[in-house]
Amino acid sequence: MTNLPSQPVPDRSKYILLTPNGAKALSVGAIGALYAWFVLKLFLTGEQPALQLTVGALGLIGVLSSVVMFLCTYSFIANAHDKHLDEREIQARTAAYMRAYIYAVSMLLVGYIASDVIGKVYSGFEVTPEVLTHYLNLAVFTCLIMPATILAWRDRTPVLQQLFGRTCQ
């Protein structure tokens, strides 16, 4: 399914143009900040202003980075209609969605098993609706950007072509 000359070419300029290395760094920052936010949120008890500020900053950084990652060109490839992509991009997108699906299912299984095991092992810890809400926030934002993240990490475009948009010989 290649783009024929009569088909309109999609406008990718509406998306944030990130190089693969930039998208990789942004995705690591977003996912890392979200996981750190979740783990630190578990230990947030009482009045600890420094920890509260750190947890809030990590959550904000994670969410904003996820939004930027969701608006990048890799997200366009992940969410575009087939007629706007060539065969190579369609194959890459399909593989990325399969891996993202595996991540999402694994995350749900780990959350389910961990909530049961932690409740039995640590008698003082209770899985409250607040903890479940935080875990679901983590799952939603990481799963939202996972296809674009996988596409960025699998992109093998040469550095000069990333910078200049053409091959140098």
Side-chain angles (χ1 to χ4, degrees):
M1 296 190 77
T2 58
N3 282 336
L4 300 175
S6 62
Q7 292 179 332
V9 177
D11 184 16
R12 295 184 187 194
S13 67
K14 296 176 185 171
Y15 289 84
I16 299 169
L17 180 62
L18 293 175
T19 64
N21 290 335
K24 289 174 190 177
L26 186 63
S27 67
V28 166
I31 293 171
L34 286 168
Y35 271 98
W37 167 79
F38 175 72
V39 170
L40 289 176
K41 194 79 167 165
L42 292 175
F43 299 111
L44 189 61
T45 57
E47 290 296 321
Q48 300 168 337
L51 187 57
Q52 287 177 346
L53 183 64
T54 303
V55 169
L58 284 172
L60 185 63
I61 290 168
V63 168
L64 291 178
S65 300
S66 294
V67 169
V68 172
M69 188 67 190
F70 187 72
L71 296 175
C72 77
T73 51
Y74 289 104
S75 186
F76 171 82
I77 295 171
N79 298 311
H81 193 274
D82 285 349
K83 69 180 180 182
H84 298 300
L85 303 174
D86 61 21
E87 289 91 1
R88 181 189 55 82
E89 290 173 327
I90 291 171
Q91 289 176 347
R93 180 188 61 188
T94 303
Y97 266 101
M98 187 60 186
R99 285 174 178 74
Y101 174 76
I102 291 169
Y103 170 81
V105 169
S106 300
M107 193 165 185
L108 289 174
L109 286 175
V110 165
Y112 176 73
I113 292 169
S115 66
D116 193 39
V117 170
I118 289 174
K120 291 179 182 174
V121 173
Y122 299 107
S123 59
F125 184 78
E126 188 177 331
V127 180
T128 63
E130 182 179 332
V131 171
L132 182 61
T133 300
H134 296 318
Y135 186 75
L136 289 176
N137 285 336
L138 172 70
V140 164
F141 281 104
T142 56
C143 289
L144 183 70
I145 65 169
M146 196 53 63
T149 298
I150 293 168
L151 286 170
W153 279 91
R154 294 180 57 116
D155 191 359
R156 301 289 181 229
T157 307
V159 175
L160 291 176
Q161 189 175 354
Q162 293 172 22
L163 295 175
F164 302 111
R166 57 180 163 76
T167 57
C168 297
Q169 298 181 2

